[in-house]
């Protein structure tokens, strides 16, 4: 496989599947669409976000995401403003999707995938075969059953997301630390031997031929015994035609394990085997200039290797990091940009617009402006929301129009995005929307707005950071519903507040 453009690769389906997939209108203003185009194509202007800056160089800049934080406004706003790729932090792991044999649960992972798709983000799948977060029923199987359970797991999970995942970590952390270069003991290794790895990659290719198939590990960032062992395996796979497309170097750095001096050289030697390389779980313990410098070194190394197709940090904010005491990420616990953020943005060729991303990037409508589609159809039957460009004439006294769009639907639930457009003739300093929720269907979580009720209707008013809308400007909020089926249209009233 060759290097791909950062958006749309392998995306044979524009929106999520399962249940009725209904094309509904996205009311997107020309101004918002223009922002998206600039972000995706790269222009002479320095981009002001991580994702847009990386995209200008043909790469993605992603983050690990946890489904249970998507309802937090600043979390979602920072994600949407700054990143153009996501990796579910835990939601696609074996224990999350197949806790009981052959019973698959995708709701949390679907939520992340739906959100990412609604923003045009790439998705990395993490991970299919790993010794950790593995249900005990898997470890207790005999060899024959284990092989068929592994193949079934790979096949079912990859088919569920067929055409929607940019790259899968087919196998994770299968080698021992230290100097042995040996495989790590695991149920797969111990019962099936070295051959399980090849079996996993061949099964993965058959399940979703469009996804890039990666081997992912930590402490393989520099040239060392462990990375040499992975290198030998990849070389052998390429020589024998075993399908492998990429190596993920996790990039968990701290003072005991700093960015190695031969980092770029190591990325390049893997790339020279004919695979892409990706930095998959980057975080750097520390603070201030030292932390910022390490981040720059990593970004510069990736940019110097043409087959380094993208970078992912392992979380958005220090407060939700898996090692939050080390403050290893780009945004602090209040979503303020750290020196490390500026270092990464600068290394990517971008330039900071100032402020916190949740509040002020992209002209104050940062949340949800990357969905550059001009979808077909008009969804809102209501009198306030007429045109496909959102330009319906609002009744006197209203300064805004709101439009409903179904992002994705699955058995027992669906996700909605609502566009709020300032269709009046003066600037808005706040807005309130209201609609009648279909009976028996409840909102599980709502982001980028504040939910309420009024006269038996559901309401959502602006969050602190997206109430100000210039004439013609728009913003979006989203929600996930438990219950179904999704309505084909929904009238959402909008009033200035
Ligand atoms: O960040 C993940 C954390 O929330 C989980 O508790 C942990 C459980 O194993 O996994 C973390 O993610 C790991 C990733 O899946 C694989 N590489 C190491 C990551 C950090 O531990």
């Amino acid at each position: 496989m060759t290097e791909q453009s950062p958006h749309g690769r392998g995306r044979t389906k524009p929106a999520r599947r399962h249940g009725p997939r209904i094309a509904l209108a996205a009311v997107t203003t020309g101004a918002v669409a223009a922002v998206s185009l600039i972000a995706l194509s790269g222009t002479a202007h320095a981009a002001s976000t991580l994702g847009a800056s990386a995209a200008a160089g043909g790469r993605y800049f992603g983050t690990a995401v946890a489904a249970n934080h998507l309802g937090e406004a600043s979390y979602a706003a920072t994600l949407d403003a700054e990143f153009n790729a996501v990796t579910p932090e835990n939601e696609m792991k074996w224990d999350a999707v197949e806790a009981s044999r052959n019973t698959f649960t995708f709701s949390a992972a679907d939520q992340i995938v739906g959100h990412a798709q609604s923003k045009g983000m790439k998705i990395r799948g993490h991970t299919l075969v790993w010794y950790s977060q593995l249900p005990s029923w898997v470890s207790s199987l005999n060899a024959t059953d284990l092989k068929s359970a592994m193949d079934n797991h790979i096949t079912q999970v990859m088919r569920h997301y067929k055409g929607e995942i940019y790259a899968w970590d087919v196998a994770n952390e299968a080698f021992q630390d230290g100097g042995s270069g040996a495989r790590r003991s695991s149920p797969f290794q111990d019962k099936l031997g070295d051959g399980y790895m090849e079996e996993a990659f061949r099964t993965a290719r058959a399940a979703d031929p469009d996804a890039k198939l990666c081997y992912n590990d930590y402490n393989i960032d520099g040239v060392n015994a462990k990375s040499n062992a992975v290198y030998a395996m990849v070389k052998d796979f390429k020589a024998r035609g075993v399908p492998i497309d990429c190596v993920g170097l996790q990039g968990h750095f701290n003072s005991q394990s700093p960015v190695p001096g031969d980092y770029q050289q190591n990325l390049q030697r893997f790339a020279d085997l004919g695979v892409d390389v990706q930095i998959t779980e980057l975080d750097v313990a520390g603070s201030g200039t030292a932390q910022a410098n390490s981040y720059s070194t990593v970004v510069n190394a990736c940019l110097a290797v043409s087959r380094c197709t993208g970078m992912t940090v392992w979380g958005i904010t220090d407060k939700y990091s898996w090692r939050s005491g080390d403050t290893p990420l780009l945004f602090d616990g209040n979503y303020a940009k750290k020196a490390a953020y500026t270092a990464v943005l600068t290394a990517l060729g971008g330039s900071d617009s100032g402020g916190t991303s949740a509040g002020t990037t992209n002209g104050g409508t940062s949340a949800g402006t990357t969905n550059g589609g001009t979808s077909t159809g008009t969804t809102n039957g209501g009198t306030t929301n007429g045109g496909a460009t959102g330009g319906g004439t609002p009744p006197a006294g209203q300064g805004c129009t709101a439009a409903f769009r179904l992002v994705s639907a699955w058995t027992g639930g669906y996700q909605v995005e609502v566009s709020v457009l300032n269709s009046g003739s003066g600037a808005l300093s706040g807005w309130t929307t209201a609609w009648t929720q279909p009976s028996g269907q409840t909102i599980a979580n709502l982001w980028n707005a504040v939910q309420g009720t009024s006269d038996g209707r559901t309401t959502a008013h602006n969050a602190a950071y997206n109430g100000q809308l210039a004439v013609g400007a728009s913003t979006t909020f989203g929600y996930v519903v438990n219950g179904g089926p999704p309505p084909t249209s929904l009238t959402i009233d909008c009033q200035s507040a």
Side-chain angles (χ1 to χ4, degrees):
M1 288 205 173
T2 55
E3 210 163 301
Q4 304 291 336
S5 67
H7 282 271
R9 185 214 174 271
R11 297 279 304 284
T12 54
K13 291 179 272 187
R16 299 237 52 227
R17 68 287 96 184
H18 312 310
R21 183 146 22 95
I22 303 163
L24 297 172
V27 174
T28 308
T29 66
V32 171
V35 168
S36 303
L37 289 173
I38 289 165
L40 298 185
S41 62
T43 70
H45 305 292
S48 62
T49 67
L50 302 170
S53 305
R59 293 177 174 79
Y60 65 85
F61 199 93
T63 178
V65 163
N68 63 341
H69 299 317
L70 283 173
E72 185 181 316
S74 297
Y75 185 92
T78 307
L79 168 64
D80 295 348
E82 292 288 348
F83 298 94
N84 60 0
V86 299
T87 305
E89 186 169 354
N90 290 298
E91 292 78 354
M92 287 183 177
K93 291 172 180 174
W94 198 315
D95 63 349
V97 297
E98 194 190 3
S100 306
R101 189 168 186 178
N102 210 27
T103 299
F104 290 87
T105 308
F106 292 112
S107 43
D110 281 357
Q111 205 184 325
I112 296 174
V113 169
H115 186 98
Q117 289 182 330
S118 76
K119 305 297 176 193
M121 297 171 178
K122 264 182 173 15
I123 300 151
R124 293 195 84 263
H126 176 79
T127 175
L128 295 164
V129 182
W130 187 25
Y131 72 90
S132 182
Q133 288 176 273
L134 190 65
S136 55
W137 68 263
V138 182
S139 2
S140 61
L141 298 175
N142 65 33
T144 309
D145 271 358
L146 180 62
K147 179 168 174 294
S148 84
M150 180 185 81
D151 288 346
N152 185 53
H153 179 79
I154 293 168
T155 302
Q156 300 302 327
V157 177
M158 288 187 73
R159 275 198 194 152
H160 182 79
Y161 294 111
K162 194 168 193 294
E164 302 181 302
I165 303 292
Y166 165 68
W168 266 107
D169 291 332
V170 176
N172 192 44
E173 301 174 5
F175 285 82
Q176 270 180 26
D177 290 317
S180 72
R183 294 283 192 89
R184 180 195 291 273
S185 169
S186 74
F188 308 105
Q189 184 67 35
D190 300 348
K191 290 177 187 165
L192 305 176
D194 284 359
Y196 87 86
M197 185 80 73
E198 172 171 351
E199 170 76 13
F201 275 83
R202 290 189 192 281
T203 304
R205 179 66 95 229
D208 184 356
D210 288 331
K212 291 196 180 214
L213 307 181
C214 302
Y215 176 77
N216 190 54
D217 213 330
Y218 66 91
N219 280 353
I220 59 165
D221 310 289
V223 176
N224 58 38
K226 188 173 175 182
S227 68
N228 285 345
V230 175
Y231 181 88
M233 179 187 77
V234 175
K235 190 172 181 186
D236 171 57
F237 276 20
K238 294 302 280 185
R240 292 192 296 113
V242 178
I244 186 165
D245 307 308
C246 36
V247 173
L249 300 96
Q250 293 185 6
H252 292 296
F253 298 117
N254 56 33
S255 55
Q256 281 77 49
S257 176
V259 183
D262 54 9
Y263 188 49
Q264 182 182 323
Q265 177 197 335
N266 188 48
L267 291 174
Q268 188 65 58
R269 75 166 174 153
F270 277 104
D272 290 344
L273 288 176
V275 289
D276 290 346
V277 289
Q278 296 161 5
I279 320 289
T280 51
E281 303 182 16
L282 178 60
D283 54 11
V284 183
S287 62
T289 308
Q291 184 180 49
N293 288 343
S294 296
Y295 267 106
S296 305
T297 303
V298 171
V299 173
N300 285 328
C302 180
L303 296 181
V305 175
S306 63
R307 290 199 74 143
C308 183
T309 56
M311 293 147 267
T312 299
V313 285
W314 204 239
I316 297 171
T317 160
D318 283 341
K319 73 173 168 173
Y320 296 140
S321 165
W322 69 292
R323 48 182 203 182
S324 85
D326 291 342
T327 60
L329 296 173
L330 304 180
F331 295 87
D332 73 13
N334 296 315
Y335 297 94
K337 295 166 178 173
K338 297 165 57 178
Y341 169 92
T342 309
V344 169
L345 184 68
T346 306
L348 289 170
S351 98
D352 202 346
S353 63
T356 61
S357 75
T360 57
T361 46
N362 287 344
T365 56
S366 62
T369 54
T370 55
N371 188 16
T374 50
S375 308
T376 54
T378 299
T379 53
N380 280 299
T383 52
T384 58
N385 304 300
T389 59
T393 307
Q398 296 188 348
C400 54
T401 54
F404 164 93
R405 183 173 77 90
L406 184 65
V407 173
S408 59
W410 55 92
T411 308
Y414 58 94
Q415 183 183 336
V416 169
E417 182 182 80
V418 179
S419 302
V420 175
L421 168 73
N422 180 352
S423 52
S425 53
L428 282 185
S429 56
W431 44 264
T432 300
T433 59
W435 66 95
T436 303
Q437 192 59 19
S439 126
Q441 301 185 6
T442 54
I443 294 183
N445 70 69
L446 182 147
W447 55 93
N448 293 345
V450 180
Q451 189 180 342
T453 55
S454 175
D455 295 334
R457 306 183 83 206
T458 303
T459 62
H461 69 76
N462 61 277
Y465 52 85
N466 63 2
Q468 304 209 334
L469 291 178
V471 175
S474 67
T475 189
T476 61
F477 67 89
Y479 59 90
V480 165
V481 173
N482 285 336
T488 52
S489 71
L490 186 70
T491 299
I492 302 181
D493 297 323
C494 190
Q495 284 194 305
S496 58

